[in-house]
Amino acid sequence: MKKSFFTLAIIAFCAVGSYAQGISGGLKLGANFANQKYSSDGMDLSFSSRTSLHGGFFLTVMVSETFGIQPELLYNS
């Protein structure tokens, strides 16, 4: 199911971007760095840090010359 959804999304993304003016898009890739720290009543707990990736697609639709809408489909792990 997920594989067919992403394939369909990529095809739709490419088709819309190639036929319409004022529409552009691309890929987003990056890294996430997270850690947790808890403090209460003089007691501090710290958990190890975690590094993971995120990525997805974005599409920018220009409504006017100076205003646009940018929906995104992102995955964070």
Side-chain angles (χ1 to χ4, degrees), residues 8-63:
L8 182 61
I10 290 171
I11 291 169
F13 176 75
C14 292
V16 169
S18 64
Y19 291 116
Q21 290 181 339
I23 296 178
S24 63
L27 299 173
K28 283 191 170 189
L29 298 171
N32 291 328
F33 303 102
N35 59 11
Q36 294 179 348
K37 185 176 182 180
Y38 176 75
S39 298
S40 177
D41 298 327
M43 184 174 69
D44 292 332
L45 294 174
S46 181
F47 301 100
S48 63
S49 64
R50 178 179 175 190
T51 303
S52 62
L53 297 174
H54 70 266
F57 304 99
F58 69 92
L59 184 68
T60 304
V61 180
M62 294 305 293
V63 177

